[in-house]
Amino acid sequence: MNKKGKIIVLSAPSGCGKSTIINSILGSGELDLRFSVSATNRAPRAGEEDGVNYHFITTEQFRDAIAADEFVEWEQVYPGRYYGTLRRELKDAAERGENTILDIDVKGAMAVKKQFGDDALLIFIMPPSIEDLRNRLVKRGTDTPQVIEERVGKAEYELSFADNFDLRIVNDDLPVAVAATESAISAFIK
Ligand code: 5GP
């Protein structure tokens, strides 16, 4: 029988270094992993490519995909902004025996666990504290004080899901967090 591919979900409040951790793990090539490309109706940011970072689709196309049951899960992560994991992204990979990494929000992570059970490992990347997260966002200098408070408020909500994850990794020191994430994934897909 062919080996079935496994699913690894990474979630984190914004500003916790999740994308950096994922890119570092995929970039090192140590682990046999592919990235699940989600669909979204948000506009591409500078440097983002259709089909690589996301499948960038219109709101209407997103609604059609919901109606056609094309999503494993989907969420309105921000007002008017939809994100969803496409069934075909996971099905093709599972059939090929490939392991897939998903960068999705906490509610999406819960939905994946419900459907895939022990075939999915849920990892939550945490800031050392809410205060630390606020300081990081202030230092980054890209957001107004109001937006920072909104992000902090959302982070507090997201942190309330932490106990539902299989594993929690505190990103206090980036190389340490990358190594911890990599070794947890490695043990899971063996
Ligand atoms: P961004 O717009 O910054 O790329 O992503 C915003 C948030 O949407 C992040 O927390 C990311 O993890 C989440 N996200 C991206 N793709 C999906 C998806 O397919 N499903 C869900 N539930 N969340 C997603």
Side-chain angles (χ1 to χ4, degrees):
M1 209 179 86
N2 286 337
K3 181 177 145 281
K4 209 167 129 205
K6 291 197 177 178
I7 292 171
I8 299 100
V9 175
L10 256 80
S11 295
S14 144
C16 290
K18 174 185 57 175
S19 307
T20 314
I21 293 174
I22 292 180
N23 290 336
S24 162
I25 289 172
L26 290 174
S28 84
E30 288 278 315
L31 300 175
D32 183 19
L33 291 173
R34 60 177 286 287
F35 182 71
S36 162
V37 182
S38 294
T40 183
N41 70 340
R42 84 149 162 77
R45 295 188 188 120
E48 284 184 335
E49 259 182 76
D50 186 37
V52 175
N53 305 91
Y54 284 103
H55 298 288
F56 293 102
I57 61 176
T58 63
T59 306
E60 198 185 351
Q61 286 170 323
F62 203 101
R63 291 209 179 105
D64 288 347
I66 295 171
D69 195 26
E70 287 177 23
F71 291 117
V72 170
E73 61 77 35
W74 64 270
E75 296 290 338
Q76 186 175 183
V77 180
Y78 300 107
R81 282 213 227 153
Y82 297 89
Y83 297 82
T85 306
L86 292 158
R87 285 190 195 285
R88 63 166 195 267
E89 287 281 323
L90 299 191
K91 191 167 166 273
D92 295 352
E95 282 169 2
R96 287 194 295 260
E98 292 171 350
N99 304 304
T100 309
I101 190 157
L102 277 65
D103 170 350
I104 62 177
D105 85 323
V106 289
K107 286 209 224 151
M110 298 300 107
V112 167
K113 190 69 181 179
K114 214 168 164 188
Q115 293 177 59
F116 294 91
D118 290 344
D119 288 332
L121 175 72
L122 266 52
I123 303 176
F124 192 69
I125 308 292
M126 300 176 62
S129 67
I130 283 289
E131 222 16 70
D132 181 274
L133 180 67
R134 185 180 280 116
N135 290 339
R136 279 194 217 192
L137 292 170
V138 170
K139 258 197 215 147
R140 193 166 77 174
T142 51
D143 300 313
T144 61
Q146 190 198 336
V147 170
I148 289 176
E149 282 321 303
E150 276 167 22
R151 284 185 189 271
V152 168
K154 191 163 163 69
E156 280 171 334
Y157 167 73
E158 288 163 331
L159 282 165
S160 72
F161 285 81
D163 286 349
N164 298 317
F165 280 69
D166 296 310
L167 192 66
R168 288 152 291 280
I169 292 173
V170 177
N171 183 10
D172 199 359
D173 181 62
L174 185 64
V176 174
V178 169
T181 308
E182 205 158 32
S183 89
I185 296 174
S186 170
F188 178 66
I189 62 180
K190 263 204 190 118

